[in-house]
Amino acid sequence: MKKLLVTTDFSSISRAAIRFAIQFAAQTPCELIFYSVNTKTFEDNIDNYYKKTTQDYKLKKFILSIYKTTKKEPGKAEFVTENHTHVDQAIIAYAQKCHADFICINTSGPGIFNQLIGTTATKLITTSPIPLLVIPYNYRMKAIHLLLYASDLVKLGVELPFVKKFAALFAADVALYHYNELLDQGNFKEDFNKIAQNYQSDKVSFNFKKLNIEYSLLNHLKVDIRTIRPSIVVMFTKQNRDWFERHFLSSKTKEFGFDTHTPILVFRK
């Protein structure tokens, strides 16, 4: 049984990650751990114990109120609050402590990556050893049935099994998209087709697209996301700030924009 650590700060925006987690649990058996960090720390005393108990109750009440709006019954779930000065560090530490398979977190507003600088989501994307589900603030619940897997093909043999294993939780299809500026030169297209023949199946399809270097990777993805309407976009990242900024926070990306209702699953390379 998979285990999701679902973060919330009690804001209306954070309801998106909770709704996604509820949908996740509705389609496959899993345990949801709803988790909140209070950055105001208290001394370890009776008063602190009372405050934590109050926080735990507040969290449970908040989550159950969202369940009512989805008309879905709560399954196996825990409600945990902690005091910590660094939210991202606390989330990773607790995720490791409870052996979470995924961390689920919402974005802070319009433009999934354009608005992430300095946020907890950004810090987790660049530091978390645990796969991260980033849920847009405007997410609306729908069945998970198709994954768009954006791949550079470099470590396809290592990455694809992880994607297929995740997709199998929902009996979902996988549409792999690879963007390359050399697609129409030499034998590149023939080489790509050979790769597809080796890995494609009834559940996995390959799509090779010409990359226009004047636009970012996200600009290309936005077009295809609108076309095939995947349930989740899957990426493997090199977790360092330079890579993240180059691909997701470039000036060209900001100008074009990348605002979607589609959750993103980030695996660490």
Side-chain angles (χ1 to χ4, degrees):
M1 179 180 288
K2 296 298 181 182
K3 187 178 293 186
L4 274 68
L5 183 70
V6 188
T7 65
T8 180
D9 60 1
F10 297 99
S11 66
S12 59
I13 288 177
S14 72
R15 291 171 178 264
I18 297 167
R19 289 195 298 267
F20 176 85
I22 292 173
Q23 179 62 46
F24 190 112
Q27 289 189 240
T28 187
C30 69
E31 179 181 354
L32 301 180
I33 303 173
F34 296 101
Y35 179 80
S36 182
V37 179
N38 184 354
T39 56
K40 296 180 180 179
T41 58
F42 306 100
E43 294 181 0
D44 187 15
N45 53 34
I46 296 177
D47 184 52
N48 184 33
Y49 174 79
Y50 171 76
K51 288 178 179 178
K52 186 180 186 311
T53 302
T54 303
Q55 290 170 5
D56 290 347
Y57 174 76
K58 177 184 176 182
L59 175 60
K60 185 174 183 178
K61 184 178 179 181
F62 178 69
I63 299 300
L64 292 181
S65 70
I66 298 173
Y67 264 100
K68 288 183 179 180
T69 66
T70 66
K71 298 181 180 179
K72 295 185 183 296
E73 292 296 323
K76 187 174 183 180
E78 292 184 35
F79 306 90
V80 179
T81 61
E82 289 189 318
N83 296 324
H84 203 288
T85 54
H86 299 288
V87 176
D88 56 309
Q89 293 177 15
I91 292 172
I92 292 174
Y94 195 81
Q96 292 175 322
K97 178 181 178 181
C98 71
H99 304 291
D101 296 286
F102 303 97
I103 295 172
C104 186
I105 190 169
N106 59 278
T107 63
S108 59
I112 282 186
F113 287 102
N114 296 344
Q115 300 298 323
L116 283 181
I117 298 178
T119 68
T120 299
T122 299
K123 294 176 182 177
L124 290 176
I125 287 172
T126 55
T127 60
S128 176
I130 297 168
L132 188 69
L133 285 156
V134 183
I135 314 303
Y137 78 105
N138 52 9
Y139 168 79
R140 295 293 179 267
M141 291 178 66
K142 63 178 182 179
I144 299 169
H145 69 282
L146 175 64
L147 310 185
L148 189 161
Y149 164 35
S151 173
D152 58 11
L153 302 180
V154 175
K155 293 185 178 180
L156 182 61
V158 175
E159 296 176 1
L160 186 55
F162 284 100
V163 180
K164 291 171 65 177
K165 187 175 181 180
F166 181 82
L169 296 173
F170 316 97
D173 294 324
V174 177
L176 184 150
Y177 276 74
H178 173 72
Y179 303 88
N180 198 302
E181 66 271 22
L182 302 176
L183 182 63
D184 55 359
Q185 299 181 25
N187 297 322
F188 281 97
K189 191 169 185 178
E190 182 180 341
D191 292 339
F192 292 150
N193 288 333
K194 288 180 180 178
I195 293 174
Q197 290 176 3
N198 290 333
Y199 290 98
Q200 68 184 5
S201 65
D202 292 340
K203 285 290 188 179
V204 180
S205 62
F206 280 71
N207 304 270
F208 301 113
K209 297 293 189 77
K210 173 74 174 181
L211 177 68
N212 184 340
I213 60 176
E214 293 184 2
Y215 298 100
S216 73
L217 172 61
L218 286 188
N219 299 154
H220 290 77
L221 274 174
K222 183 177 181 179
V223 174
D224 290 315
I225 288 171
R226 285 177 172 176
T227 301
I228 71 170
R229 298 184 180 278
S231 308
I232 299 173
V233 175
V234 183
M235 296 179 178
F236 287 76
T237 72
K238 295 179 180 178
Q239 287 183 309
N240 59 68
R241 187 76 182 191
D242 291 340
W243 185 92
F244 182 71
E245 289 182 343
R246 184 169 68 253
H247 286 282
F248 298 109
L249 301 176
S250 69
S251 59
K252 291 178 182 177
T253 300
K254 291 181 180 179
E255 290 171 4
F256 193 81
F258 185 71
D259 194 4
T260 173
H261 292 218
T262 310
I264 296 179
L265 172 58
V266 182
F267 283 100
R268 182 178 184 175
K269 276 185 177 288

